[in-house]
Amino acid sequence: MTSESTNQTRVAIVTGGSRGIGNQTAKQLAADGFAVIVNYGSNDAKAEATVKEITESGGQAIAVRADVADEQAVSAMFDLAEQTYGGVDVVVNAAGRMDLSTLADLDLRVLDEMHRINIRGPFVVSQQAVRRLRPGGAIINFSSSVVGLAFPRYSGYAASKGAVEAMTLILAREMRGRDITVNVVAPGPTATDLLFDNNTEENLSRLASAPPLERLGTAEDIAAVVAFLVSPAGHWVNGQVIRANGGAI
């Protein structure tokens, strides 16, 4: 890590920070001393509740509503982060959408909407990150272990996450000389609303039994991986896909 990044408060933008893994990641990074921009798409109450929880625990955070696939909204979010905290060091692209269907039956309008959030979203946010992150920083994108597990009904979602993996690994190499790491975290089935809202009890039981550790992951499990990767201890890990899934594959 550079002296520039260690002599000042580090600043993180977490997209999708009002719920699920993004929410837990925002709280974990705040606990680790980051000032956090909690990005969200629509739920003002949840975003403000996240900020309140962070600030009441002694951390620094603001909520910023922005469509991650809208380049003007994302640019404005980075502007606000810089105006409020002086710069940006870490970007965590946790915003995502999951729509499940067999390939034959997936509505193409739904496919386009999902890929807008899951592919264009991290692409647009990463463009701003590349232009603005301070040396010693990190970009974390989210894939999914379903890319390897190949569950039926996940074709559209897995396709979007495979695109994120390809984009991220190329970006890591394009950042040569910048002292900025770029990695992918690919969770397995994780106990969040995104999983519960898209699976039956039978499916959830099957998913929980798949890893050798015989449970679903938690948002805390995944946030801990992100926290390591963006810390000085994790700075030598670069251009990798970390499949945080309890050993499911």
Side-chain angles (χ1 to χ4, degrees):
M1 306 292 289
T2 67
S3 59
E4 178 182 356
S5 64
T6 54
N7 290 336
Q8 59 195 359
T9 298
R10 301 185 75 207
V11 181
I13 293 175
V14 181
T15 72
S18 67
R19 62 190 180 92
I21 291 171
N23 175 268
Q24 188 60 43
T25 298
K27 292 186 288 188
Q28 178 66 62
L29 294 184
D32 291 345
F34 283 82
V36 181
I37 286 74
V38 178
N39 163 259
Y40 68 104
S42 60
N43 195 318
D44 297 327
K46 283 190 175 182
E48 292 299 338
T50 302
V51 168
K52 183 179 180 181
E53 185 174 351
I54 289 171
T55 56
E56 287 184 346
S57 298
Q60 300 181 74
I62 58 172
V64 179
R65 183 170 182 166
D67 176 356
V68 293
D70 181 330
E71 61 270 33
Q72 293 182 340
V74 170
S75 179
M77 176 172 64
F78 275 79
D79 287 344
L80 182 59
E82 291 172 342
Q83 293 161 9
T84 305
Y85 295 121
V88 181
D89 301 283
V90 166
V91 168
V92 180
N93 279 307
R97 171 171 172 168
M98 179 191 291
D99 296 277
L100 302 185
S101 170
T102 61
L103 187 148
D105 296 327
L106 182 59
D107 186 314
L108 294 180
R109 176 186 57 81
V110 172
L111 178 71
D112 289 343
E113 292 171 354
M114 180 166 51
H115 284 192
R116 182 179 184 276
I117 298 300
N118 292 0
I119 301 175
R120 180 182 169 92
F123 197 101
V124 168
V125 176
S126 293
Q127 275 193 329
Q128 289 298 318
V130 166
R131 296 167 184 170
R132 307 205 196 201
L133 254 59
R134 295 185 286 211
I139 300 170
I140 305 294
N141 288 328
F142 270 86
S143 177
S144 169
S145 287
V146 76
V147 172
L149 292 167
F151 293 143
R153 301 180 64 244
Y154 280 79
S155 59
Y157 179 71
S160 72
K161 294 305 185 178
V164 169
E165 291 189 11
M167 175 185 74
T168 306
L169 299 186
I170 291 169
L171 179 57
R173 286 144 182 85
E174 291 178 348
M175 296 299 285
R176 177 178 291 275
R178 294 279 305 278
D179 191 29
I180 292 170
T181 62
V182 189
N183 290 291
V184 179
V185 176
T190 305
T192 65
D193 290 343
L194 190 66
L195 183 74
F196 294 142
D197 291 346
N198 285 282
N199 285 279
T200 64
E201 287 294 330
E202 180 181 357
N203 283 342
L204 290 171
S205 178
R206 178 176 58 82
L207 292 171
S209 66
L213 296 179
E214 295 187 324
R215 66 172 176 86
L216 293 173
T218 66
E220 290 82 357
D221 291 328
I222 308 307
V225 175
V226 174
F228 168 73
L229 290 172
V230 305
S231 74
H235 199 62
W236 189 238
V237 182
N238 189 28
Q240 303 300 314
V241 178
I242 311 298
R243 302 210 180 279
N245 57 29
I249 56 172

